[in-house]
Amino acid sequence: MSELFLKDTLELIHPDWSVSPRVRAATTTRHGGLSDGPFASLNLATHVGDDPQRVAANRQRLSQTLHLPSEPLWLEQVHGTQVFECGQAPVAGIPCADASLTRTSGRVCAVLTADCMPILLAEREGRAVAAVHAGWRGLVAGVIEQTLAQMDEPPERIAAWLGPAIGPQAFEVGAEVRAACLAADAGAADAFVPSPAGRWLADLYALARRRLQQAGVCDLSGGDSCTYSDAQRFFSYRRDGRTGRMLSCIWLEAQ
């Protein structure tokens, strides 16, 4: 490929929260890149079958647009609870984790999603930030609680923003998913309603909010998008199968 062509204007979503100006954060949509077909246009994942040259160009364009102070910390996400803490030392390879956190300015925490929920966490004065990949498995396993424990900040000083994920009218699951969620938290029953197909519609946002609030985090925002129903703005694995990934990132500017 000798030439790449920009498809459309890069579109970003920024959390609407009250935190220190040191805290910088954004989530991408599918707009503003160079990828084609099911990956059009701002696919930022290398593992989905997209042209590596286009993914690299998309990542470079995002970095330039956001003026990122460093390469995002890319993770191998496995729907678990491992949290990688990024400090001053260089990171070797791609950590296997579903969340990352940092207290160091200039290190960019990031997660890739296309229906699962990106959750961005910030200590309001800018002492620590984290990015969490939260599907239903991660929520049940405790990825939010594990991240908060490693942040080691008073929960009343944490702000949480829930990024674009599959919405409650589209996330149909089987009885086994509901049972797993209720086994971990009986109160999670309120996040499920019967579907016309005899299954269950799950509210991933409600499940995440409940977990955060139970952990003492009450400064919550976001949670008002649906990746599945908004094909113009978002990638959705459940809707399309072969598709791209959005990036949610957060970092601390130098004081």
Side-chain angles (χ1 to χ4, degrees), residues 26-225:
T27 290
T28 64
T29 67
R30 67 183 303 163
H31 294 300
L34 302 107
S35 295
D36 280 321
F39 312 113
S41 65
L42 191 67
N43 168 49
L44 295 160
T46 59
H47 67 285
V48 296
D50 195 3
D51 185 315
Q53 186 180 358
R54 292 186 183 272
V55 178
N58 289 342
R59 289 182 172 187
Q60 181 180 20
R61 184 159 195 255
L62 177 67
S63 180
Q64 292 172 343
T65 300
L66 283 174
H67 305 289
L68 292 181
S70 63
E71 179 78 4
L73 176 61
W74 305 104
L75 302 175
E76 181 185 350
Q77 299 166 188
V78 294
H79 300 278
T81 62
Q82 189 68 31
V83 183
F84 185 88
E85 183 164 354
C86 185
Q88 295 282 5
V91 177
I94 299 177
C96 183
D98 281 271
S100 62
L101 72 89
T102 190
R103 297 176 177 83
T104 303
S105 61
R107 306 310 298 268
V108 182
C109 297
V111 291
L112 292 166
T113 58
D115 283 338
C116 285
M117 184 185 306
I119 302 176
L120 301 180
L121 302 171
E123 194 281 326
R124 285 197 294 269
E125 296 302 316
R127 283 191 281 267
V129 294
V132 183
H133 165 246
W136 75 263
R137 291 181 180 83
L139 289 175
V140 168
V143 67
I144 288 175
E145 292 84 349
Q146 185 62 34
T147 306
L148 291 170
Q150 287 189 224
M151 286 182 78
D152 194 26
E153 298 286 347
E156 63 272 14
R157 298 197 61 79
I158 299 291
W161 183 75
L162 283 56
I166 190 168
Q169 302 305 313
F171 190 28
E172 189 174 48
V173 300
E176 73 285 357
V177 174
R178 181 176 181 270
C181 292
L182 269 59
D185 174 15
D190 291 342
F192 294 86
V193 297
S195 76
R199 290 158 58 86
W200 296 92
L201 291 171
D203 189 337
L204 201 60
Y205 286 125
L207 291 170
R209 289 190 185 101
R210 181 173 176 84
R211 289 277 182 161
L212 287 160
Q213 290 169 342
Q214 288 178 327
V217 178
C218 296
D219 186 352
L220 308 179
S221 58
D224 52 4
S225 298

